[in-house]
Amino acid sequence: MSAELDWGNLGFGYIKTPYRYVSRYTHGKWDEGALTEDDKVTISECAGVLQYAQTAFEGLKAYTAKDGRIVTFRPDLNAERLEQSAKRLEIPVFPKDRFLQAVDMVVKANRDYVPPYGSGATLYIRPYIFGSSPVIGVKPAEEYEFRMFCTPVGPYFKGGAKPITIRVSDFDRAAPRGTGHIKAGLNYAMSLHAIMEAHRQGFDENMYLDPATRTYVEETGGANFLFVTKDGKVVTPASDSILPSITRRSLCYVAEHILGMTVEHRPVKFEEVKDFAECGLCGTAAVISPVGRIYDHGNEINFPSGMDEMGPVTRRLYETLTGIQMGRLPAPDGWIREIK
Ligand code: PLP
Ligand code: COI
């Protein structure tokens, strides 16, 4: 029986669902893991996560497809990215097959909370991993927890498909050769001040530039950029210090192999941005959120697609990606994992 929620009016917030998954790493190995109803985490006051932010996370979604099946989108890539994040933070890797099994278990146990097809909401799944044992010298913890909960969500930006306004940030998000390419909690902690400043000034998000030269576009606090040129090419910024977005990689594939468009994944100079026809933010939470305007210290870039709706190419990409995710369109091999 579906939970009694106002699916069409959900924001991007936390709603406690009945079950979550926990596996603990002690004496050099992961235990067998299990679902629990207990939403509280009990760890040492001196845990590695609390003292030195030794934690990484992931984000993926489950959908009710048109035919009523419950599916997830490319969870194998989340497992692989969490592995990269773990290695960079000296956290023991949680095996991919077990990650996928945990996704299946969590979604299945909370299936009443998977929003119905066509409601505009989805089930957001949050896997995370952290050092749980005490550390006081700066070093990795000896014990860890891998956890996964889920929560039904609506659009990440209020207004859904309405174009947003962002600003060029004076703060940097990630250092060259730092941790920008992994999903470390610390990247988000240091973006909180920048996002609050942006909100206080009336902007929805920050555009971060490359910290070394401040001449190239990196990403926002929670999504990669996607641009469309006036002659219809899709351009996405390449950089070693941005998160390799699964949504962006999927959209580039869709653009090139399904829609027959030209795609360029390359460094993008900020100077070029004013010449693009459309701009969007892409990510699991953001899906594709159109950007209508960018403020850069008194200068404005207003995209021809305007502030009322998504540009035509962004819309085609959005329709195709969400069509694949919700089972309205055929998916490339291996993209959809059905929860049985
Ligand atoms: N960039 C950042 C900083 C993010 O937090 C996210 C969200 O996961 C993304 C990009 C988008 O990545 P994905 O499409 O894999 O969700
Ligand atoms: C996601 O899209 O899954 C993210 O982790 C972004 C986050 C800012 C909510």
Side-chain angles (χ1 to χ4, degrees), residues 59 78 81 173 183 188 219-224 243-248 282-285:
N78 295 97
R81 194 170 59 189
R173 174 181 178 273
K183 215 160 160 55
Y188 299 81
E219 58 176 329
T220 67
N224 281 184
L243 195 76
S245 159
I246 295 163
T247 313
R248 187 257 300 156
C282 56
T284 299

Side-chain angles (χ1 to χ4, degrees), residues 19-273:
Y19 296 98
R20 67 275 303 111
Y21 178 91
V22 192
S23 177
R24 294 190 175 84
Y25 182 91
T26 53
H27 308 296
K29 60 181 203 321
W30 290 104
D31 71 9
E32 64 187 25
L35 291 174
T36 171
E37 288 181 77
D38 187 357
D39 63 325
K40 300 289 185 290
V41 178
T42 305
I43 50 174
S44 164
E45 62 185 354
C46 202
V49 59
L50 297 179
Q51 301 310 323
Y52 302 125
Q54 197 190 10
T55 181
F57 70 99
E58 271 304 322
L60 68 157
K61 284 175 170 174
Y63 310 83
T64 305
K66 193 171 177 212
D67 61 5
R69 290 179 311 149
I70 294 178
V71 298
T72 50
F73 182 72
R74 311 190 78 179
D76 51 319
L77 298 188
N78 295 97
E80 286 168 17
R81 194 170 59 189
L82 188 64
E83 175 169 342
Q84 296 311 313
S85 299
K87 286 180 173 159
R88 178 66 176 76
L89 297 172
E90 293 292 334
I91 293 175
V93 168
F94 191 74
K96 180 170 163 179
D97 57 327
R98 294 204 47 204
F99 180 102
L100 295 173
Q101 192 189 24
V103 172
D104 294 352
M105 287 167 75
V106 168
V107 176
K108 214 165 151 176
N110 296 293
R111 68 186 315 139
D112 295 349
Y113 288 80
V114 186
Y117 175 76
S119 64
T122 50
L123 188 76
Y124 185 70
I125 305 163
R126 173 53 63 86
Y128 58 115
I129 193 162
F130 56 88
S132 54
S133 63
V135 283
I136 195 73
V138 178
K139 62 177 186 194
E142 287 181 352
E143 297 179 357
Y144 294 84
E145 291 194 14
F146 169 81
R147 288 179 166 259
M148 188 183 296
F149 65 81
C150 63
T151 180
V153 295
Y156 190 67
F157 294 103
K158 272 202 246 53
K162 273 260 174 228
I164 58 169
T165 302
I166 63 175
R167 66 159 192 184
V168 175
S169 174
D170 286 329
F171 300 100
D172 294 324
R173 174 181 178 273
R177 296 173 291 279
T179 55
H181 61 301
I182 59 161
K183 215 160 160 55
L186 62 92
N187 294 337
Y188 299 81
M190 48 66 61
S191 77
L192 296 176
H193 182 60
I195 191 78
M196 291 311 289
E197 285 280 291
H199 289 169
R200 285 189 276 266
Q201 292 171 16
F203 303 108
D204 297 292
E205 249 292 4
N206 288 295
M207 169 187 266
Y208 294 103
L209 301 180
D210 78 290
T213 70
R214 300 191 68 81
T215 52
Y216 288 91
V217 176
E218 296 253 291
E219 58 176 329
T220 67
N224 281 184
F225 278 104
L226 182 148
F227 300 104
V228 180
T229 62
K230 289 191 175 128
D231 59 356
K233 277 191 250 159
V234 168
V235 178
T236 56
S239 157
D240 291 341
S241 49
I242 68 178
L243 195 76
S245 159
I246 295 163
T247 313
R248 187 257 300 156
R249 286 181 270 162
S250 304
L251 283 167
C252 287
Y253 183 92
V254 163
E256 190 172 346
H257 299 281
I258 301 182
L259 301 176
M261 301 172 71
T262 304
V263 174
E264 293 176 2
H265 181 59
R266 59 165 173 85
V268 174
K269 282 214 162 91
F270 179 66
E271 243 175 50
E272 294 178 60
V273 172

